Amino acid sequence: MEDFLIKTKGISKEFSGVRVLNNIDFELKKGEILGLIGENGAGKSTLMKIISGLYFPTEGEIFFEGEKVVINSPFVAKKLGISIIPQEFNLINHLNVYENIFLGNEKRKNKIVLDKKAMRKKTKELMNKLKTVIDPDTVIEGLSVAQKQMVEIAKALSRDSKLLILDEPTTVLTINEIEILFDLMRNLKDHGVSMVYISHKLGEVKEICDEVMILRDGNFVSKANTSKISEKEMAENMVGRVLSEVYPEKVSPDSDLCLEVKDYSVDRVLHNISFDLKKGEILGFAGLVGAGRTELAETIIGIRKKKSGELLINGEKVEIKNPLDAVNNGIGYLPEDRQGTGIITNFDLIKNTTLVSLRNYGKFIINKKKERERTREYVDEFKIRAASLKTKLEFFSGGNQQKVSLAKCLDPQPKIIIFDEPTRGIDVNAKREIYFFINDLVKKGISCIFISSELEEIIGMCNRVAVMKEGSLAGILEGEHINEKEIMYYATGVKGAA
Amino acid sequence: MKKAFLLVLVVLFVFTAVSLAATYKIGVSIPTADHGWTGGINYWAAKAIEDWEAKRDDIEFFLVASSDPQRQVSDIEDLMVKGIDALVILAHDSAPLTPIVAEVYEAGIYVVSVDRGLLLPVQDVYIAGDNPGLGRVAGQWMAEELGGKGKIVALEGIPCVINTERVEAFEAEIAKYPGIELLDSQPAYWSADTGYEVMSNYLQKYPEIDAVFAQDDDVLIGVLAAYEESGRDDIKTFFGGAGSKIMIKKVMDGDPLVKADVTYPPSMIATGISLAVFGVTGEPLVGFYQQKVPSEVILAAELVTPENAHLYYEPDSVF
Amino acid sequence: MPEEKSFFKKIDITKLGPLVALAILFVISAFASPYFLQVRNLLNILSQVSFTGMIALGMTFIIISGGIDLSVGSAVAFSGGVMIIALNGLLQVMSEPLALLVGFLVALGVGIGCGALNGLIVTKGRLAPFIATLGTMAIFRSLILFFGNAGNLTVDFRYTMLKDIGRGRTFGVQNTIWVFLILTIILQFVLNKTRYGRYVCAVGSNEKVAKFSSIKVDRVRFMTYVITGATVAFAAFFAAGRMNSISTTQVGDQYELDAIAAVVIGGTPMTGGTGIIWGTVVGAIILGMISNMLNMVGVSPYLHGTVKGIVIIGAVLVQEIGKRSTSKLSN
C-alpha cells in the first residue's frame, strides 16, 4: 500500500451532462513511469487535469501517499508536489527564462527583495542538467519552440516534484533533445520521482515507460508492462480495431516540372535555396528544428521578403509579393502553427473553411448558401466531427481543427500545396486519414511539399526528400537513399554540401 | 403578471393626473455651476422657484442645468416634451442655442432670455446686467477715491463682447481725469487663479501702484492673495465687480482695501423667472400701466458702499 | 452530424444582454416619469443619441478589427467647422441648395481624410491606435480652435436650410434618426453579409491567421478608420445643423467616450474579433435613455456621470460573467 504515490478510485467527469471520463482507477508507484495513451478525446488530458487540480471530478476519490486528498485547485496540487508540463506552453513571452521558471515561486532575500543572483544560478544548474545552453536572461520570445519546451521542463524540475506529468513533451524536440530528456527522466526515476508520460509516439512510450495505460472514449481499456505489448497492439487497443496499413501506396509523379525555386535567399535565414517539384509529386522537407523549412515555405508564399531568387510555375516566371499572389498563382499553404497562423478559433466551421477562398463566394456580398454547401462537402469528405457548421473551432479537438485547416487550404483549389507539419499533435487515426487525403490529392495531379519532423512519415509518404541544415539545402534524396540514417547524416552535416 | 401590469397603468395614470393639476408649466434652462457667478445663477434659480412654489400652486417649474451647449439643446428638447408654457434661458453660448430657442418661440412658448443674448429676436423678454454701467460706475468711484490722481492696473475677463463693453466704459470714465494713469490691462479670464498670476506679474513689474480694478470678485480673491504675499503696502484700494458675498461682506465690515463693489447680479435669473410668471399668466407688473412685461430689462449697475452693503448681503448664497 | 436548426433554437444569452438591459431601463423610466412614454420624448431620445450613435457604428468596425479611435470627437468639430467656413464662402457665390451640397461633400471629405490619416498612421506607421488617435485628437481640435478663434463658427442666419435639414423632420420623425437608421442598415449589411465584414472580424480575431489567409490586413484596418471618418462627417453635418453653428471648444467633446461606451455596452468586446452593429445602436440608446430619464426625474446633472459609469461597468461585467460561464460549460 505504501508503495503507491498516487491512486485513484472510480474517477468520472461530466461536462454539461456528457460523460468524458468514466470510472477510472489508476495507480502509480514511486519512481515509476506510466505511459498514458489514447486517441484525441480519449480523456487523457482530462484525467491529468483532474490530478493537477484544473478540473474537479464529478465522482471518485484520489489518494496521495496513502491518504485521501481533495485536489480542488492547481495550488493544492503544487503543494502536494504534482507538476504538469502542458502541451500548450504556459510561459510569459516578454519575461526572461529565469523569471518564468520562478514565476509565483520567486526566491527572496529576507523575504522581500528578489534574489536574482540565486535564481540565475539555479536556472543555470537546471539547464546543465538538461544539457541545454540557454542564458537565464534570454527573453522567452526569442527562443525556438524546442527551447521553450526545455524551459517548461526546467520550470517543473525547479519545484522538486514528486509527480511529474508530461503532456506530449517531444512533439517539438529533435532526436538529440529527446535523448537528453529521456536520460533526465531516467535520472529522476532513480531519485524516486514518479512520472506520467502522455504521447502519440508509441515507440517512445515503449522505450521510456515501465507500464502503459490505454484509454478509449473516456473508458479504461487496458494496462500492460511495456515489455509485454507491441506498438501495433497499443495502437489497436487505442482505436479498438485492427489497423490496416498506415501509409498509402506512393504514386509516381509526372516528369513535368510545376514549380521551380531558384536561388532563394533571406537575410540570415535562408541561403541560396534551389529545388524543383514535379507534377503529382510529394517532396519531403526534413531537417532539425530551426533548419529554416517553415521560413522557406513562408518566403515562397510571400509572407517573408526574399533578398534574391526567382520562382517559376509551369515554366513561367511569377512574382509573389504577398499571400494573395500565392493563392492567385495556385499555391496553398497549411501552416505549422495551427492556432497561431492556421485557423481562427472564434470563427465557426464555415467561416474558417472559406476564409482564403472567400473571393470565390461573391465579389462584395457573400453567397452564404454556397458557403454552407461547400463546407458540408468538406465535413463529409474529411469526416470532420462537429456539433454543427456554426460551432466555433475552439470547441474542436486538435485533429478536427487540423482537418478544417486542411479544408481551408484546399478550398481555393490550389495546384501546389505546402504542408507544414500536417500531423503534429493529432492521433494515429486522424494522421492516417490525412495521409490518405494527401495521396488522393496527388492522384488528381496536385503537387505537394511535405515538411515534417517525423522522419517515419517523411519516409512513408515522399517521392523525394530535401534535407535542410541551418538555412541551406544540404541535399535531396531519392529512392533507396530515403532512410532515417541518410536523412540524419545530411541534417546534422555529416554528409552534404552545407 | 396581470396584476403587475395593472399596477403600472394605475401608477402612470396617477402620475399624469398629478402633473395635469398645474395650470402653467415653466422650464428654466441654465448652465451648470462651472464658476462662481454661474454658481450664483444656480442658487438664485432654485430660490426663485422655491419662493414661487410656496406662493402659488398653479405653476409647476422644471429646472435643468447643462454642462455644454449641445447638452443644453437636448435639455430644452426634453423640456418641450413636458409641455412647458414658458422658458427662462440663460444660454451657454449665443449661436448654438439660437435655433432651438427659435423653435421654442415659434411653438408659441413664452421665452425669457437672460444675460446672454441670442442672435435672432426670438424672445418675449430680454433681461441682463448693465455691462457698460459696471465699467462706468467702477471708473467713477475709483477716480474719486484716488482724488483724481494715481496709477491704476486693470484685469480683464474672457475676451468677448461683455468684457469689451465693461473695459471701454471703464477707460472712458478714467480718461476724464488727466491725473490718473492706467499702467496695464491684461485678461484674467474671470478666474481667481489667473487673477493671482497676473497680479503677481504686475507687482514685479510696477514698483508703484495706487489702485487695482479686477472687474470680477472671483479675480479679486486671487489679486488680494498675490498682494498679501508680496508684503507691499502701497496700494490704496481694490475694486472687483458683480457683487459676491465675500466682497460685499468685506465692504460691510469696513475692510480698508475693499471699500466698494458694483453689482452684476446673478439674481437676474430669479427676476427673469418672475417675469416669466407674470408674462405667462398675463398679470401686469405692479405699478406698471401696461398690460405686458417690458420686452427688455437692463438691471442697473448698483454701487455697493459700507452704508448700503447690508441690503446686498445674502449669507445663504453660494456666490 | 445534427442539423443546424437545433443550433438556432439555442438563444445566445450574451447577445441578448443589451436588449434585456434596454427593456428593464424602459420599464423603470416609464415608472419614473409620466412624460417618458410620450412619442415626442422617445423620438427626442433617438435624435439625441443619433450623433454619437452614428460615430459608434464606425467605431464598432474599428474595435472589431482590434483598434480604437479617440479622435472622433475632435474630428466632428474639425469637419463640421471646416464645413461651416466653406459654406459661408460658398453661399456668396452659388445658390443655397448647391452650396449646402458642396458643403456636405466638404465635411465628408474632411471626415474621411481624418479617418484616412488615422488609418495611415496605424497601418503604415505601425503605431498603437490608442497613441496615434490620441495625437490626432489633439491635432484636429487645435486646428479648428485656430480656424475658429476658439469661438463659434456660425452660418449666417439669413440662410436657414442647414438648420432646417438638421432640425427638420420627415414623416414626423427627425431627419437625424432617419440617417442614423440608414447608416445602421448599411453597416449591419456590410458587417454580416459582405466579404469586407468577414475580413474585419478575421483581422480582429487573429491578425496572423488573416495575413496567412491572403487577406490584406493593412487595407482592411485602414478602411475601418475611413468608414468611421465617414460616420463622423454625417454626425458633424447634423450637429452643425442642429445648432446652426459649431462651437470649436465644445462640439464633439467626449464623443469618443460615449461612442466607445455604446459599442461596449452593445456587446462588442474591446478585444475585437466579433461585434454586433444593432447592439451598438442599443448601447447608444441605453446611454441616451439614462440621461433622459435622470433629466425627467430631476436628478442633478452632476450625478449623470455616476449612473452612466455604473451602467458601463455593469454591462461589461455581465457580459464577462456570461462568457466565463459558457466557456466553462464547453471545456
Side-chain angles (χ1 to χ4, degrees):
Chain A
M1 203 59 203
E2 271 298 289
D3 282 1
F4 293 116
L5 177 74
I6 189 164
K7 186 171 176 164
T8 70
K9 248 185 161 169
I11 293 278
S12 297
K13 177 72 186 167
E14 287 181 7
F15 286 115
S16 32
V18 180
R19 194 158 259 239
V20 295
L21 211 56
N22 187 27
N23 200 21
I24 303 291
D25 295 337
F26 108 95
E27 50 197 35
L28 189 58
K29 292 191 199 93
K30 281 185 183 149
E32 184 184 35
I33 305 179
L34 175 73
L36 185 57
I37 60 174
E39 287 189 276
N40 284 337
K44 306 170 302 229
S45 293
T46 309
L47 181 59
M48 288 307 117
K49 279 177 181 167
I50 287 172
I51 288 168
S52 55
L54 286 166
Y55 291 161
F56 196 70
T58 315
E59 285 163 28
E61 297 173 323
I62 302 173
F63 298 89
F64 197 82
E65 296 184 318
E67 278 182 46
K68 192 180 162 184
V69 288
V70 177
I71 307 176
N72 51 13
S73 81
F75 182 73
V76 174
K78 217 175 271 174
K79 268 193 126 180
L80 290 172
I82 301 173
S83 289
I84 187 163
I85 300 169
Q87 201 174 351
E88 307 287 336
F89 298 136
N90 216 348
L91 300 170
I92 297 177
N93 263 330
H94 58 264
L95 292 184
N96 64 33
V97 171
Y98 82 81
E99 285 166 336
N100 264 290
I101 288 178
F102 290 97
L103 195 66
N105 200 20
E106 287 84 358
K107 284 182 189 287
R108 292 189 178 88
K109 277 186 225 168
N110 312 322
K111 294 191 175 168
I112 302 169
V113 188
L114 288 177
D115 191 348
K116 294 189 181 178
K117 208 172 144 195
M119 288 193 279
R120 282 200 188 95
K121 192 165 162 249
K122 180 84 201 232
T123 304
K124 269 190 192 142
E125 286 170 21
L126 290 168
M127 289 303 161
N128 284 340
K129 252 193 202 170
L130 290 166
K131 300 196 179 77
T132 308
V133 193
I134 301 175
D135 182 12
D137 284 298
T138 323
V139 177
I140 295 295
E141 239 163 2
L143 298 181
S144 71
V145 182
Q147 287 173 318
K148 284 183 195 169
Q149 180 69 277
M150 286 300 185
V151 174
E152 274 287 4
I153 294 166
K155 189 172 155 189
L157 290 180
S158 75
R159 304 219 156 120
D160 299 322
S161 313
K162 290 178 191 159
L163 171 61
L164 198 57
I165 300 165
L166 301 103
D167 195 353
E168 300 263 10
T170 60
T171 37
V172 296
L173 299 184
T174 61
I175 291 172
N176 276 337
E177 289 163 331
I178 292 170
E179 264 322 303
I180 294 167
L181 177 67
F182 283 1
D183 280 347
L184 187 85
M185 285 172 70
R186 285 182 196 111
N187 193 340
L188 288 171
K189 178 187 154 113
D190 293 342
H191 285 86
V193 177
S194 311
M195 281 161 272
V196 176
Y197 185 80
I198 301 175
S199 182
H200 288 305
K201 297 184 182 174
L202 304 181
E204 289 178 2
V205 171
K206 202 161 159 55
E207 183 185 342
I208 191 69
C209 300
D210 304 306
E211 298 245 311
V212 58
M213 178 161 114
I214 300 157
L215 298 181
R216 186 169 69 233
D217 297 332
N219 291 303
F220 172 82
V221 178
S222 66
K223 190 173 174 184
N225 194 302
T226 47
S227 58
K228 289 176 187 145
I229 184 167
S230 73
E231 282 179 46
K232 192 155 180 287
E233 281 169 320
M234 284 189 217
E236 283 170 2
N237 269 327
M238 276 166 64
V239 297
R241 59 182 166 78
V242 178
L243 278 179
S244 45
E245 198 56 51
V246 177
Y247 299 104
E249 206 174 313
K250 290 184 190 177
V251 183
S252 2
D254 285 8
S255 54
D256 302 351
L257 295 182
C258 71
L259 176 77
E260 291 163 75
V261 169
K262 288 184 178 166
D263 208 26
Y264 258 44
S265 289
V266 173
D267 270 337
R268 285 191 302 275
V269 179
L270 297 178
H271 316 291
N272 306 86
I273 307 248
S274 300
F275 67 92
D276 52 45
L277 180 66
K278 297 191 186 84
K279 197 158 177 265
E281 183 183 36
I282 302 179
L283 174 64
F285 265 82
L288 303 180
V289 170
R293 294 168 299 167
T294 296
E295 290 79 357
L296 174 62
E298 288 177 356
T299 312
I300 291 173
I301 63 161
I303 290 273
R304 285 171 189 264
K305 262 206 163 71
K306 59 176 189 280
K307 200 176 88 188
S308 69
E310 59 181 52
L311 191 90
L312 281 74
I313 290 177
N314 299 328
E316 275 179 49
K317 200 184 157 196
V318 292
E319 199 57 57
I320 291 175
K321 292 203 189 83
N322 54 51
L324 183 57
D325 291 343
V327 171
N328 289 339
N329 281 294
I331 302 178
Y333 177 57
L334 183 82
E336 163 193 31
D337 183 357
R338 201 158 50 228
Q339 302 205 348
T341 50
I343 52 158
I344 294 182
T345 46
N346 72 340
F347 267 23
D348 62 27
L349 187 52
I350 299 177
K351 289 181 183 173
N352 267 294
T353 305
T354 59
L355 195 60
V356 183
S357 51
L358 203 57
R359 291 168 193 88
N360 302 336
Y361 294 87
K363 196 168 160 46
F364 188 65
I365 297 163
I366 302 170
N367 182 343
K368 294 206 174 179
K369 188 165 166 258
K370 188 176 162 195
E371 249 192 322
R372 205 164 45 237
E373 282 165 3
R374 203 47 168 281
T375 306
R376 204 184 294 278
E377 284 171 29
Y378 284 111
V379 167
D380 295 342
E381 190 184 342
F382 292 164
K383 300 187 186 71
I384 297 171
R385 262 171 285 169
S388 101
L389 295 182
K390 294 264 183 183
T391 309
K392 288 184 181 177
L393 284 208
E394 58 189 314
F395 304 133
F396 280 39
S397 70
N400 274 319
Q401 284 182 348
Q402 186 67 350
K403 287 178 185 173
V404 178
S405 191
L406 187 63
K408 166 171 168 278
C409 162
L410 292 179
D411 198 49
Q413 314 290 337
K415 295 282 169 288
I416 301 160
I417 305 174
I418 305 172
F419 294 100
D420 197 350
E421 304 284 1
T423 63
R424 166 173 297 171
I426 63 177
D427 63 63
V428 187
N429 233 358
K431 266 185 187 176
R432 187 170 170 275
E433 282 173 342
I434 285 179
Y435 297 145
F436 277 84
F437 296 143
I438 294 175
N439 209 53
D440 287 347
L441 292 172
V442 172
K443 281 182 195 158
K444 289 180 204 155
I446 291 170
S447 319
C448 300
I449 289 174
F450 189 97
I451 301 173
S452 175
S453 295
E454 282 185 45
L455 292 183
E456 201 192 318
E457 66 180 17
I458 286 236
I459 295 163
M461 290 292 294
C462 302
N463 303 105
R464 286 187 301 156
V465 178
V467 187
M468 285 184 71
K469 179 181 174 287
E470 289 165 9
S472 299
L473 197 60
I476 294 179
L477 311 176
E478 277 179 77
E480 68 206 32
H481 295 290
I482 301 178
N483 60 56
E484 215 160 299
K485 224 171 167 185
E486 198 80 354
I487 292 172
M488 282 320 291
Y489 282 157
Y490 280 93
T492 52
V494 177
K495 276 188 179 179
Chain B
M1 199 58 204
K2 258 185 192 167
K3 267 186 190 166
F5 186 68
L6 211 65
L7 192 72
V8 174
L9 282 183
V10 169
V11 170
L12 283 182
F13 181 76
V14 171
F15 262 117
T16 324
V18 168
S19 63
L20 288 176
T23 324
Y24 299 106
K25 293 181 188 171
I26 298 179
V28 181
S29 169
I30 54 176
T32 47
D34 43 21
H35 63 277
W37 194 77
T38 41
I41 287 290
N42 277 261
Y43 167 79
W44 282 103
K47 182 169 162 53
I49 288 171
E50 205 178 291
D51 290 349
W52 276 111
E53 278 177 344
K55 253 185 270 176
R56 315 178 50 148
D57 52 10
D58 61 339
I59 304 175
E60 196 183 353
F61 290 93
F62 304 103
L63 174 66
V64 285
S66 324
S67 51
D68 60 72
Q70 291 142 275
R71 196 63 242 163
Q72 195 171 18
V73 171
S74 298
D75 288 343
I76 293 174
E77 285 172 353
D78 290 348
L79 283 177
M80 298 269 283
V81 171
K82 295 183 168 171
I84 50 172
D85 303 293
L87 173 70
V88 182
I89 174 175
L90 199 162
H92 240 287
D93 213 334
S94 305
L97 268 302
T98 299
I100 177 71
V101 177
E103 216 167 90
V104 172
Y105 182 71
E106 279 154 23
I109 293 166
Y110 194 84
V111 175
V112 177
S113 163
V114 182
D115 188 41
R116 239 156 275 176
L118 301 163
L119 300 185
L120 294 172
V122 287
Q123 74 256 335
D124 295 276
V125 181
Y126 174 62
I127 170 168
D130 182 0
N131 287 304
L134 184 143
R136 198 170 52 244
V137 169
Q140 207 170 2
W141 185 87
M142 289 176 79
E144 279 168 15
E145 178 72 12
L146 291 173
K149 217 169 79 200
K151 295 188 163 86
I152 297 180
V153 290
L155 293 93
E156 299 184 16
I158 297 170
C160 67
V161 180
I162 292 175
N163 178 62
T164 314
E165 285 176 356
R166 292 176 180 183
V167 171
E168 280 176 357
F170 175 75
E171 287 176 0
E173 194 59 33
I174 58 171
K176 293 178 189 165
Y177 301 85
I180 289 179
E181 188 189 350
L182 183 62
L183 293 174
D184 211 333
S185 187
Q186 289 178 16
Y189 302 95
W190 292 320
S191 131
D193 291 338
T194 324
Y196 173 84
E197 277 169 37
V198 174
M199 191 62 205
S200 303
N201 290 340
Y202 282 167
L203 288 164
Q204 285 291 319
K205 213 160 140 192
Y206 304 106
E208 252 180 75
I209 300 171
D210 295 307
V212 181
F213 175 44
Q215 208 213 79
D216 178 83
D217 286 346
D218 274 0
V219 175
L220 188 52
I221 293 173
V223 166
L224 288 172
Y227 179 62
E228 213 165 282
E229 256 172 49
S230 74
R232 278 167 63 161
D233 57 0
D234 55 326
I235 301 181
K236 296 184 187 75
T237 193
F238 292 84
F239 198 94
S244 76
K245 74 175 180 191
I246 298 172
M247 292 307 154
I248 302 264
K249 186 87 174 41
K250 279 184 189 280
V251 175
M252 208 160 73
D253 296 350
D255 190 291
L257 296 176
V258 184
K259 293 180 196 144
D261 202 349
V262 59
T263 60
Y264 190 82
S267 55
M268 66 176 73
I269 189 76
T271 308
I273 290 169
S274 297
L275 293 177
V277 171
F278 291 121
V280 80
T281 56
E283 297 165 23
L285 296 182
V286 179
F288 273 56
Y289 287 85
Q290 289 74 32
Q291 289 305 308
K292 284 194 172 175
V293 173
S295 55
E296 200 161 289
V297 178
I298 304 299
L299 302 168
E302 300 169 37
L303 183 68
V304 182
T305 58
E307 290 76 41
N308 67 4
H310 61 281
L311 297 173
Y312 297 91
Y313 187 60
E314 190 72 29
D316 295 335
S317 170
V318 292
F319 181 64
Chain C
M1 111 170 235
E3 280 306 301
E4 274 160 59
K5 273 179 199 160
S6 65
F7 177 81
F8 283 117
K9 274 184 194 161
K10 281 189 217 160
I11 297 161
D12 195 338
I13 302 162
T14 48
K15 277 190 181 171
L16 281 181
L19 219 51
V20 172
L22 182 67
I24 294 171
L25 197 62
F26 195 88
V27 172
I28 294 175
S29 303
F31 265 105
S33 164
Y35 303 103
F36 178 78
L37 284 177
Q38 288 186 19
V39 174
R40 181 167 186 171
N41 186 50
L42 298 176
L43 286 177
N44 264 355
I45 295 175
L46 285 178
S47 85
Q48 285 164 14
V49 302
S50 59
F51 302 94
T52 45
M54 289 176 204
I55 299 169
L57 295 176
M59 187 74 83
T60 310
F61 275 76
I62 294 185
I63 289 180
I64 292 174
S65 80
I68 192 101
D69 187 348
L70 301 179
S71 74
V72 286
S74 298
V76 167
F78 186 54
S79 55
V82 171
M83 178 184 77
I84 288 182
I85 293 171
L87 202 54
N88 280 332
L90 291 165
L91 283 167
Q92 310 298 320
V93 294
M94 54 178 88
S95 70
E96 200 179 350
L98 192 61
L100 205 58
L101 179 68
V102 177
F104 170 71
L105 292 176
V106 167
L108 196 61
V110 174
I112 287 176
C114 289
L117 180 66
N118 284 330
L120 275 180
I121 300 173
V122 169
T123 55
K124 295 292 165 215
R126 304 249 154 251
L127 276 193
F130 188 93
I131 304 298
T133 58
L134 190 67
T136 53
M137 169 169 93
I139 294 170
F140 299 152
R141 177 68 70 185
S142 123
L143 284 177
I144 200 61
L145 284 172
F146 174 73
F147 290 145
N149 271 328
N152 285 309
L153 290 161
T154 306
V155 181
D156 192 321
F157 268 89
R158 279 173 298 170
Y159 301 99
T160 59
M161 202 177 228
L162 175 66
K163 184 187 71 141
D164 292 344
I165 294 176
R167 298 204 59 84
R169 289 161 186 255
T170 307
F171 305 123
V173 173
Q174 284 94 325
N175 293 339
T176 46
I177 301 179
W178 288 115
V179 172
F180 184 29
L181 181 73
I182 291 166
L183 286 176
T184 303
I185 292 170
I186 293 174
L187 291 179
Q188 165 88 18
F189 183 85
V190 170
L191 183 63
N192 293 310
K193 305 278 177 194
T194 69
R195 215 146 57 90
Y196 176 71
R198 180 77 57 85
Y199 286 168
V200 171
C201 292
V203 168
S205 295
N206 191 329
E207 196 178 323
K208 251 185 155 174
V209 175
K211 194 176 167 196
F212 273 82
S213 302
S214 77
I215 295 169
K216 303 231 162 161
V217 173
D218 279 354
R219 194 182 294 174
V220 170
R221 296 179 72 194
F222 174 78
M223 280 307 292
T224 61
Y225 290 91
V226 169
I227 288 172
T228 304
T231 61
V232 158
F234 279 99
F237 180 83
F238 281 96
R242 189 170 185 232
M243 294 176 288
N244 205 41
S245 63
I246 288 285
S247 156
T248 54
T249 52
Q250 308 254 27
V251 162
D253 190 30
Q254 304 204 344
Y255 272 20
E256 60 281 349
L257 296 185
D258 278 351
I260 294 168
V263 175
V264 171
I265 293 174
T268 299
M270 282 303 282
T271 42
T274 170
I276 318 159
I277 286 286
W278 63 258
T280 298
V281 174
V282 171
I285 295 175
I286 287 178
L287 284 176
M289 207 179 270
I290 290 169
S291 50
N292 178 272
M293 190 224 341
L294 297 177
N295 233 339
M296 288 287 167
V297 180
V299 174
S300 160
Y302 306 114
L303 278 177
H304 290 196
T306 305
V307 180
K308 252 191 207 176
I310 291 171
V311 169
I312 294 170
I313 292 170
V316 179
L317 213 56
V318 168
Q319 287 163 21
E320 280 301 313
I321 292 166
K323 218 183 293 166
R324 268 174 235 157
S325 64
T326 48
S327 69
K328 244 184 200 162
L329 280 176
S330 50
N331 235 325

